[in-house]
């Protein structure tokens, strides 16, 4: 049992370290680079199998205790080294050396995973007939890693969590030393002493491990101003929230140039050093007049035509630093509801000026969709400001799933309006229009099937930097259109569309060479032209859906040349389009194939030559199940982001539930007898395909039905749904390992390398597949891979010539 506990502990420490790296990348760079951490981890795991295959001397029992010790030493050292590599994505435009620095990231951060992967791969190699128990311990430990991270980030920052992972590696080494037939006293003593030292260092939380922030992030910019002051920092499992005082904090999106007065005192709030919003002091009511000069003031003006705003109910999406709450209070609204996904932001906003602005509203923590679904209340205004919608050029926004502004989401918002209620969305513009065009297209698709034509329920206008869309549950009347015209003239804003608008009213104040936004809206509102216009548009502006919720993905592969030419030949726009993913996929594919080929190229030994007899089919099997497993995992994570509020929560719940289920399945697989051949094992793998297909088709409606439950209940429901397929998926690898142990034992490290290499490639491949064809298609592709693997397993002799029977 001590042996399996040591395996479990090194796996838990590895996942804890991986989560710490994901959080670090989100802070040092941006969230969208964090996906590369998974690639780095799996690359290290694959390399460990190839090393064991090439260097036979590493296949020694003593290395079982030494590998975790090396992981414990490498984790903080490589973390510190990588966080100091001066890689800046923005500098790729003029500094080719950045590509070398990105490669250095891969090399440095993969090293700890080589050691932890080596520990598990060596356990399989030396005890292959116990593969079910070993894989069960591996999966059980890995399942606890993300959950441990949630707890650890309540106590430590990123550096502290890395030290906690290192300590776990040391304890694993100690346990393994005690578990070996001849205990390794020196290794055990070294591990025990190092673990005590690591615990002491962890208690001190040294600042040397604090990750340096990118100078291009909003927090770095704000703190660079004279007189700036850092006021507060808080951590949780998915974010770092900072509160800052700086002359750079001037937050008034779309403020009319007609406003000449001062802004009130404001403090900036950033999440992971970016996405700055502001806490606005209410101490001086005279300075709050600027709220009347914002584009978001229009819904309040229109609602006031139908009665006092004191009687209205308003729902605010993603309230950030409470800016939207302050605005609603300024306009006289008393019943203010809302949703904010990050509780730390609420805490920071309430602490900013001591005014506790959130005490004046009923704002729930969570996604707006789930909060709205949990209540039967109808609203007069549902509003989303610029902080809710990522700008078109946000760093790699194309990689981010955004379920807030899909067709299904907008229909839910629209359904929560009372008769005559208003849905208002404001976002930042960035010509040539793409986010603005997609928002309009999605709104028209979502609200365009009512009895009243959508063009009579829609108002669109723009400022010098923002575009606002207002949809009414009912027809806009003459009073409201007159109020809009008066508002636009007073503020010097430009009309894009409203009922009865004269085309000559467009493009009057903030002028373009042509009224492109007016023309864009007219094309999309024309039922006969909309589909053709959408298809022929330079960018992909098709409506976002829950099946493909990539609101920021605007690029068509067939028209990349036109896109680059449209911005003066600047290819950096492709980074915005998520085209770092194909680059990473190509790199991953090359490295993966190199890992699989390395034993054949570098070690022409009798062991390798003997293994080649069963190489093609067996390696194909492990390659297929590795790819399929990763496809399913990524599909579940991305599909559950809406259901579980945050990507980090989705990652933790999916990985933990899936790996826990796989661990249980692995243990059960040890009871499946292989004496009569691989027929029963092949049937199990085929059953995995059936289970994955059923989940792909049945999960979306189930999640939608349960979306209104409290978060704790949703976490439990997600775990219960994920675990059963995970049980079957967890049987595939140990069954294959046991077959190899009977017929081609020397191939086990190679099979481990092939499985990990497949997972390296599958990460970016799954993202591309989901973006191109949708989540369901990606899951069904995984089911087909499991069917192909079952067919390989059923072939006689695919895993080598059987030498003896294998009882359950």
């Amino acid at each position: 049992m001590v042996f399996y506990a040591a395996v479990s502990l090194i796996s838990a420490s590895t996942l804890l370290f991986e989560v710490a790296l994901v959080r670090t990348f989100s802070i040092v760079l941006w969230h969208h680079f964090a996906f590369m951490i998974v690639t780095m981890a799996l690359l290290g795991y694959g390399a460990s199998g190839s090393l064991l295959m090439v260097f036979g001397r590493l296949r020694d029992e003593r290395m079982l205790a030494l590998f975790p010790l090396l992981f414990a030493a490498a984790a903080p050292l490589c973390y510190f080294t990588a966080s100091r590599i001066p890689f800046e994505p923005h500098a790729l435009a003029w500094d080719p050396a950045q590509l070398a620095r990105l490669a250095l990231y891969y090399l440095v951060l993969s090293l700890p995973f080589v050691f932890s992967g080596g520990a598990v791969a060596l356990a399989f190699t030396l005890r292959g007939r116990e593969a079910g128990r070993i894989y069960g311990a591996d999966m059980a430990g890995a399942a606890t890693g993300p959950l441990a991270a949630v707890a650890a980030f309540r106590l430590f920052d990123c550096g502290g969590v890395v030290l906690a992972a290192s300590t776990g590696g040391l304890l694993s080494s100690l346990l393994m030393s005690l578990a070996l037939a001849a205990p390794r006293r020196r290794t055990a003593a070294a591990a025990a002493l190092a673990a005590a030292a690591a615990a002491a260092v962890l208690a001190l939380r040294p600042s040397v491990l604090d990750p340096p922030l990118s100078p291009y992030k909003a927090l770095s910019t704000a703190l660079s101003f004279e007189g700036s002051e850092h006021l507060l920092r808080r951590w949780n499992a998915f974010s770092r929230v900072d509160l800052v005082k700086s002359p750079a904090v001037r937050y008034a999106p779309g403020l009319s140039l007609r406003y000449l007065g001062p802004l009130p005192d404001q403090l900036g709030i950033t999440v992971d050093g970016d996405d700055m919003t502001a806490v606005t002091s209410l101490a001086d009511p005279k300075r709050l007049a600027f709220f009347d000069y914002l584009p978001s003031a229009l819904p309040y003006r229109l609602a006031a035509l139908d009665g006092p705003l004191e009687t209205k109910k308003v729902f605010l999406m993603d309230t950030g630093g409470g800016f939207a709450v302050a605005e609603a209070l300024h306009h006289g609204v008393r019943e203010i509801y809302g949703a904010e996904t990050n509780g730390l932001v609420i805490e920071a906003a309430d602490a900013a000026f001591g005014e506790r602005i959130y005490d004046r509203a009923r704002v729930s923590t969570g996604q707006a969709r789930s909060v709205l679904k949990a209540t039967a209340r109808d609203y007069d205004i549902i509003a989303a400001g610029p902080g809710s919608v990522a700008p078109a050029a946000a760093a790699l926004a194309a990689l981010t799933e955004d379920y807030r502004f899909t067709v299904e989401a907008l229909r839910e918002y629209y359904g929560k309006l009372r008769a005559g209620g208003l849905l208002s969305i404001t976002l930042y513009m960035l010509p040539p229009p793409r986010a603005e065009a997609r928002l309009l297209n999605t709104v028209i698709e979502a609200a365009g099937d009512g009895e009243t034509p959508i063009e009579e329920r829609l108002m669109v206008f723009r400022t010098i930097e923002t575009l606002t869309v207002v949809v009414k549950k009912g027809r806009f009347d003459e009073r409201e259109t007159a109020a809009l015209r008066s508002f636009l003239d007073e503020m010097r804003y430009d009309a894009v569309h409203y009922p009865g608008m004269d085309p000559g009213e467009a493009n009057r104040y903030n002028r373009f060479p042509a009224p492109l936004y007016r023309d864009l809206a007219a094309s999309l509102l024309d039922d006969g032209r909309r589909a053709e216009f959408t298809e022929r548009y330079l960018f992909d502006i098709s409506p976002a859906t829950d099946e493909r919720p990539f609101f920021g993905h605007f690029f068509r592969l067939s028209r990349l040349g036109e896109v680059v030419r449209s911005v003066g030949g600047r290819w950096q726009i492709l980074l915005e389009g998520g085209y770092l993913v194909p680059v990473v996929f190509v790199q991953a594919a090359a490295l993966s194939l190199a890992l699989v080929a390395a034993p054949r190229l570098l070690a022409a030994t009798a062991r390798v030559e003997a293994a080649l007899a069963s190489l093609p089919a067996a390696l194909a099997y492990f390659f297929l199940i590795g790819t399929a497993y990763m496809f399913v995992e990524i599909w579940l994570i991305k599909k559950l982001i809406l259901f579980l509020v945050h990507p980090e929560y989705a990652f933790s719940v999916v990985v933990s539930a899936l790996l826990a289920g796989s661990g249980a399945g692995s243990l059960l697989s040890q009871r499946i007898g292989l004496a009569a051949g691989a027929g029963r094992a092949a049937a199990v793998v085929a059953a995995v395909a059936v289970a994955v297909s059923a989940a792909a088709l049945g999960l979306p409606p189930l999640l939608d039905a349960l979306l209104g439950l409290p978060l704790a209940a949703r976490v439990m429901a997600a775990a219960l749904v994920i675990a059963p397929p995970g049980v079957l998926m967890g049987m595939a690898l140990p069954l294959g390992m046991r077959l190899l142990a009977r017929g081609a034992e020397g191939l086990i490290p190679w099979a481990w390398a092939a499985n990990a290499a497949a997972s390296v490639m599958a990460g970016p491949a799954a993202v591309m597949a989901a973006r191109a064809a949708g989540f369901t298609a990606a899951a069904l592709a995984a089911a087909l891979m499991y069917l192909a693997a079952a067919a390989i397993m059923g072939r006689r002799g695919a895993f080598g010539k059987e030498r003896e029977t294998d009882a359950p």
Side-chain angles (χ1 to χ4, degrees):
M1 289 300 294
V2 177
F3 175 84
Y4 299 118
V7 172
S8 186
L9 190 53
I10 188 61
S11 295
S13 302
T14 300
L15 263 292
L16 184 60
F17 179 59
E18 187 174 334
V19 173
L21 289 182
V22 168
R23 291 297 315 125
T24 300
F25 260 49
S26 297
I27 296 165
V28 175
L29 298 174
W30 278 270
H31 295 275
H32 321 292
F33 285 88
F35 79 96
M36 292 191 296
I37 292 296
V38 178
T39 304
M40 295 173 188
L42 294 169
L43 183 66
Y45 261 52
S48 69
S50 294
L51 286 173
L52 288 174
M53 198 70 189
V54 172
F55 301 103
R57 284 180 293 181
L58 294 177
R59 301 165 73 165
D60 187 308
E61 188 182 62
R62 290 173 295 182
M63 295 301 297
L64 285 171
L66 186 57
F67 273 136
L69 196 61
L70 292 172
F71 165 81
L77 180 61
C78 292
Y79 171 83
F80 174 81
T81 302
S83 65
R84 267 64 184 179
I85 295 173
F87 171 60
E88 288 296 343
H90 293 85
L92 283 168
W94 62 84
D95 184 9
Q98 297 299 328
L99 292 174
R101 291 169 184 169
L102 179 60
L104 196 57
Y105 261 120
Y106 268 87
L107 180 64
V108 170
L109 291 177
S110 295
L111 186 60
F113 298 103
V114 173
F115 297 135
S116 60
V120 181
L122 186 57
F124 277 121
T125 302
L126 299 180
R127 303 191 182 190
R129 296 175 190 277
E130 302 171 26
R133 298 185 185 95
I134 294 171
Y135 195 55
D138 176 33
M139 292 292 99
T144 64
L147 298 179
V150 173
F153 273 107
R154 294 181 179 274
L155 301 173
F156 311 117
D157 57 15
C158 285
V161 177
V162 169
L163 286 174
S166 177
T167 304
L170 294 169
L171 294 175
S172 173
S173 178
L174 175 61
L175 290 177
M176 188 62 77
S177 298
L178 298 175
L180 297 179
R184 307 296 171 185
R185 292 184 178 84
R186 291 183 180 178
T187 304
L193 183 62
V201 172
L202 185 59
L204 297 175
R205 303 183 195 181
S207 60
V208 70
L209 289 178
D210 289 346
L213 197 66
S214 167
Y216 294 96
K217 286 206 165 187
L219 179 59
S220 299
T221 301
L223 290 174
S224 68
F225 281 73
E226 185 177 352
S228 298
E229 184 180 356
H230 190 276
L231 303 176
L232 178 145
R233 176 173 297 164
R234 294 286 185 271
W235 291 83
N236 59 20
F238 56 86
S239 68
R240 187 186 98 178
V241 172
D242 292 87
L243 182 68
V244 61
K245 178 181 179 182
S246 170
V249 181
R250 293 177 57 83
Y251 189 77
L255 181 66
S256 170
L257 297 178
R258 297 294 299 274
Y259 181 74
L260 303 178
L263 291 179
D265 292 337
Q266 292 182 320
L267 298 177
I269 289 181
T270 62
V271 178
D272 288 343
D274 219 33
D275 300 327
M276 182 175 285
T277 57
V279 188
T280 301
S281 174
L282 306 180
D284 186 353
K286 294 180 180 178
R287 290 192 172 195
L288 299 180
F290 85 103
F291 279 125
D292 296 319
Y293 291 80
L294 298 177
S296 48
L298 177 65
Y300 295 102
R301 286 202 183 190
L302 297 178
L305 297 175
D306 192 35
L309 287 175
E310 289 86 348
T311 65
K312 307 298 183 183
K313 295 182 179 67
V314 174
F315 186 92
L316 305 171
M317 290 188 272
D318 293 327
T319 51
F323 184 87
V325 175
E327 181 179 24
L329 289 170
H330 169 76
H331 289 299
V333 180
R334 294 295 172 260
E335 288 195 66
I336 304 172
Y337 304 84
E340 169 54 49
T341 57
N342 195 332
L344 290 183
V345 171
I346 296 177
E347 293 178 18
D350 276 343
F353 292 106
E355 297 172 345
R356 299 197 63 82
I357 190 169
Y358 275 97
D359 286 352
R360 310 186 194 189
R362 283 168 271 190
V363 177
S364 302
T365 302
Q367 287 274 13
R369 288 178 67 175
S370 58
V371 172
L372 286 169
K373 194 146 191 150
T375 179
R377 190 181 296 112
D378 290 334
Y379 299 92
D380 298 278
I381 298 173
I382 296 177
S388 300
V389 190
L396 297 183
L399 303 180
T400 305
E401 305 77 24
D402 192 342
Y403 288 95
R404 299 167 301 169
F405 300 102
T406 62
V407 170
E408 294 85 350
L410 292 174
R411 284 175 179 162
E412 290 183 24
Y413 305 151
Y414 192 75
K416 285 296 182 180
L417 294 172
R418 68 160 183 83
L422 302 170
L423 172 62
S424 174
I425 302 172
T426 298
L427 81 167
Y428 289 110
M429 299 188 304
L430 185 71
R434 40 205 190 275
E436 310 93 295
R438 170 157 283 161
L439 177 63
L440 271 174
N441 213 358
T442 306
V443 166
I444 293 168
E445 177 72 19
D449 55 358
E451 295 182 2
T452 305
I454 181 61
E455 56 266 26
E456 297 182 19
R457 294 181 282 125
L458 181 68
M459 289 181 174
V460 186
F461 67 95
R462 63 180 179 86
T463 72
I464 196 170
E465 63 176 346
T466 64
L467 180 132
T468 298
V469 177
V470 181
V471 185
K472 182 180 178 182
K473 199 167 187 179
R475 181 181 283 105
F476 282 114
D477 58 32
E478 292 183 3
R479 291 184 312 150
E480 291 164 323
T481 55
L484 171 67
R485 286 195 298 269
S486 175
F487 178 73
L488 297 182
D489 288 341
E490 181 183 347
M491 301 297 158
R492 297 300 190 262
Y493 294 155
D494 289 286
V496 174
H497 169 84
Y498 65 85
M501 174 182 166
D502 186 326
E505 297 180 57
N507 205 35
R508 290 196 298 170
Y509 300 115
N510 307 293
R511 303 190 64 176
F512 289 99
L516 67 145
Y517 285 95
R518 165 60 191 167
D519 295 344
L520 172 66
S523 298
L524 291 174
L525 286 166
D526 186 336
D527 289 339
R529 295 176 53 202
R530 183 156 67 98
E532 181 184 359
F533 178 81
T534 299
E535 182 62 30
R536 297 184 60 168
Y537 198 71
L538 177 61
F539 297 97
D540 181 1
I541 58 169
S542 56
T545 65
D546 282 355
E547 180 65 15
R548 295 178 63 197
F550 301 97
F551 188 88
H553 176 55
F554 308 110
F555 294 88
R556 308 175 194 270
L557 188 61
S558 61
R559 306 189 70 175
L560 293 185
E562 293 179 67
V563 169
V564 172
R565 287 192 294 272
S566 74
V567 292
R570 293 187 293 273
W571 60 266
Q572 289 77 17
I573 193 172
L574 300 183
L575 292 179
E576 169 201 328
Y579 282 94
L580 186 67
V581 177
V583 172
V584 171
F585 173 73
V586 171
Q587 289 180 335
L591 290 170
S592 299
L593 294 175
L595 286 177
V596 175
R600 179 68 182 91
L601 297 175
L602 300 178
T605 64
R607 181 181 68 255
V608 173
E609 295 299 330
L612 281 173
S614 54
L615 171 67
L619 290 195
Y621 171 83
F622 286 99
F623 199 90
L624 280 170
I625 64 171
T627 303
Y629 197 105
M630 184 60 67
F631 263 60
V632 173
E633 185 175 302
I634 288 179
W635 162 63
L636 286 171
I637 290 171
K638 293 184 176 297
K639 198 64 182 174
L640 285 168
I641 289 174
L642 168 64
F643 193 66
L644 299 175
V645 183
H646 293 286
E648 289 81 1
Y649 283 176
F651 174 84
S652 296
V653 172
V654 167
V655 171
S656 296
L658 198 60
L659 295 183
S662 296
S666 181
L667 293 174
L668 289 173
S669 74
Q670 196 70 31
R671 303 173 64 88
I672 297 175
L674 302 178
R680 294 175 67 183
V684 170
V685 179
V688 178
V690 176
V692 170
S693 299
L697 300 175
L699 189 61
L702 178 62
L703 295 179
D704 184 68
L706 301 178
L707 188 58
L709 293 176
L711 179 60
R714 277 180 275 151
V715 168
M716 184 67 68
L720 291 174
V721 169
I722 294 167
V727 171
L728 289 171
M729 291 166 64
M731 295 183 177
L733 186 137
L735 286 172
M737 289 290 189
R738 284 174 59 200
L739 286 170
L740 283 180
R742 298 167 69 229
E745 190 176 52
L747 189 59
I748 287 178
W750 214 341
W752 175 262
N755 186 260
S759 300
V760 172
M761 294 175 58
V767 172
M768 292 189 294
R771 200 172 62 185
F775 292 136
T776 301
L780 292 176
L784 290 175
M785 292 179 213
Y786 276 116
L787 278 178
I792 291 173
M793 179 172 271
R795 286 176 50 194
R796 186 171 182 83
F799 290 78
K801 184 178 179 181
E802 300 174 8
R803 294 191 298 271
E804 57 184 83
T805 60
D806 181 79

